[in-house]
């Protein structure tokens, strides 16, 4: 059997992706991690990491040719003896690669059971919401009453973090660019929203938190990270979640020293903490089903528009999560 899949045959730009026909992945038993479940993909989520992987600049490089894509939702269509799922079960997953295809073969212990959640909603959970949860609760131990500054609050990670911080009872200050993005940040739980394009945005944060903020979630990098470090209060924490600006910051240790502050790199791995990540992800599915969190998906685009969608994500012409469907 063959399937349609977007393949990158040599590192390059999104335009170098090719919609090709390749063999459907096979299941295999044995080894440390049996690949025992085949999923027919219905929806995929986009991430900044996708473009980086296509360019060959991701930390965990995969040699071409390969099928990019890190998260999907769909229906189980084939299993082998060790799978904990049955044909017809609906699931979602974060994978190292392979989501931009009609089928993906996965070890069943990595899959999230999603029940009746719509595939586009479920496809938005594995990366952004897991990252936000790890950042806020595993790294920063966020508690009620703390003040958190969330950058790029209208993006997929920003909205996830805002919703989770709101549910924990935190006071949320957010930054976003356009008026529409600032409105979205407020609607998702931010109490104060600041236009980061203004040169004095950090002064507005200082006015709202004169003693400094407790936690800063930063997926932007560059000067945003450097200025953010100065906004931390005593024993404040800066959560480095990515470099959407394209610039890796040079952080000055003296600001950490005088405030006894911490900088945490937020990078999670299912391989390193399988039980913890599986518990977090299944909890997120439950919260979503109960209406406690709700991914913002303004539009579900056809998978044929993948190249254009990745470009839009890279130029920040999107809000919330970008999802595509077969």
């Amino acid at each position: 059997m063959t399937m349609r899949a977007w393949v990158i045959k040599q590192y390059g730009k999104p335009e170098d992706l090719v919609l090709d026909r390749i063999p459907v992945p096979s299941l295999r038993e044995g080894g440390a991690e049996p690949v025992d479940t085949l999923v027919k993909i219905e929806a995929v989520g986009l991430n900044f990491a996708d473009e980086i992987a296509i360019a060959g600049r991701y930390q965990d490089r995969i040699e071409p040719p390969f099928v990019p894509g890190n998260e999907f939702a769909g229906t189980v269509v084939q299993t082998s003896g060790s799978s904990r799922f049955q044909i017809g079960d609906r699931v979602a997953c974060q994978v190292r690669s392979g989501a931009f295809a009609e089928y993906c073969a996965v070890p069943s212990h990595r899959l999230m059971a999603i029940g009746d959640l719509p595939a586009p909603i479920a496809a938005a959970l594995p990366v952004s919401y897991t990252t936000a949860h790890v950042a806020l609760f595993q790294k920063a131990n966020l508690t009620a009453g703390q003040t958190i500054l969330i950058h790029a609050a209208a993006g997929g990670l920003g909205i996830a973090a805002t919703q989770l911080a709101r549910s924990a009872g935190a006071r949320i200050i957010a930054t976003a660019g356009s008026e529409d993005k600032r409105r979205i940040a407020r609607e998702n739980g931010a109490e104060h929203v600041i236009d980061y394009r203004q040169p004095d945005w950090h002064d507005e944060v200082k006015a709202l938190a004169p003693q400094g903020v407790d936690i800063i979630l930063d997926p932007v990098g560059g000067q945003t990270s450097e200025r953010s470090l100065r906004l931390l209060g005593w024993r404040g924490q800066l959560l480095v979640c990515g470099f959407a600006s394209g610039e890796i910051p040079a952080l000055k240790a003296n600001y950490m020293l005088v405030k006894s502050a911490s900088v945490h790199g937020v990078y999670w791995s299912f391989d390193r903490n399988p039980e913890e990540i599986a518990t977090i992800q299944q909890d997120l599915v439950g919260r979503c089903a109960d209406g406690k969190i709700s991914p913002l998906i303004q539009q579900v685009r056809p998978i044929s528009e993948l190249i254009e969608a990745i470009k839009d994500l890279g130029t920040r012409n999107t809000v919330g999560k970008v999802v595509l469907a077969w």
Side-chain angles (χ1 to χ4, degrees), residues 69-81:
N70 297 134
E71 62 183 340
F72 66 82
T75 301
V76 174
V77 294
Q78 183 184 353
T79 63
S80 62

Side-chain angles (χ1 to χ4, degrees), residues 11-305:
Y11 294 134
K13 300 177 180 179
E15 299 94 314
D16 296 315
L17 281 164
V18 177
L19 185 58
D20 206 349
R21 276 208 165 267
I22 62 174
V24 172
S26 300
L27 302 184
R28 68 173 188 274
E29 287 293 334
E33 192 176 51
V35 180
D36 54 15
T37 308
L38 183 67
V39 180
K40 188 178 191 317
I41 296 175
E42 299 165 15
V44 298
L46 291 191
N47 299 280
F48 283 108
D50 294 324
E51 185 172 6
I52 297 173
I54 290 167
R57 294 186 287 108
Y58 197 62
Q59 300 97 313
D60 184 15
R61 281 167 52 114
I62 303 173
E63 293 300 320
F66 67 95
V67 177
N70 297 134
E71 62 183 340
F72 66 82
T75 301
V76 174
V77 294
Q78 183 184 353
T79 63
S80 62
S82 63
S83 179
R84 65 189 184 95
F85 290 94
Q86 297 180 344
I87 293 174
D89 287 344
R90 302 185 66 256
V91 294
C93 192
Q94 181 268 337
V95 290
R96 184 173 178 234
S97 64
F100 297 157
E102 289 186 286
Y103 296 89
C104 191
V106 187
S108 63
H109 72 282
R110 292 176 176 262
L111 292 166
M112 308 155 57
I114 63 173
D116 295 329
L117 282 184
I121 296 294
L125 294 176
V127 174
S128 294
Y129 278 85
T130 303
T131 301
H133 195 290
V134 168
L136 298 182
F137 304 117
Q138 275 61 46
K139 291 288 187 180
N141 295 311
L142 176 70
T143 57
Q146 288 187 306
T147 297
I148 180 170
L149 171 63
I150 298 175
H151 289 303
L157 176 59
I159 288 175
T162 301
Q163 291 179 357
L164 289 171
R166 178 189 61 192
S167 70
R171 178 193 180 212
I172 303 167
I173 303 172
T175 68
S178 69
E179 182 177 344
D180 186 51
K181 290 183 177 182
R182 293 195 295 275
R183 174 187 58 79
I184 288 169
R186 290 190 191 92
E187 290 176 350
N188 281 277
E191 296 177 41
H192 308 280
V193 186
I194 297 168
D195 184 353
Y196 72 83
R197 298 173 303 179
Q198 301 302 317
D200 62 345
W201 66 264
H202 50 289
D203 291 330
E204 293 188 54
V205 176
K206 288 180 181 179
L208 292 168
Q211 301 303 312
V213 297
D214 299 300
I215 299 167
I216 300 175
L217 186 137
D218 176 26
V220 180
Q223 290 189 353
T224 297
S225 300
E226 296 166 17
R227 289 184 174 183
S228 293
L229 195 59
R230 305 182 188 188
L231 296 172
L232 290 173
W234 178 250
R235 291 186 175 176
Q237 301 178 80
L238 174 63
L239 305 174
V240 179
C241 298
F243 311 107
S245 67
E247 299 179 22
I248 297 177
L251 300 177
K252 296 184 177 180
N254 60 312
Y255 291 116
M256 304 173 220
L257 176 66
V258 297
K259 295 182 179 181
S260 189
S262 304
V263 176
H264 300 283
V266 180
Y267 181 84
W268 56 272
S269 167
F270 195 100
D271 293 319
R272 293 180 181 274
N273 303 99
E275 293 183 3
E276 180 182 61
I277 297 301
T279 299
I280 288 171
Q281 292 184 329
Q282 208 56 58
D283 174 67
L284 290 169
V285 171
R287 291 189 189 211
C288 193
D290 293 340
K292 296 177 181 177
I293 58 174
S294 179
L296 174 63
I297 302 169
Q298 286 202 323
Q299 183 183 17
V300 179
R301 302 176 67 166
I303 195 73
S304 60
E305 297 180 8

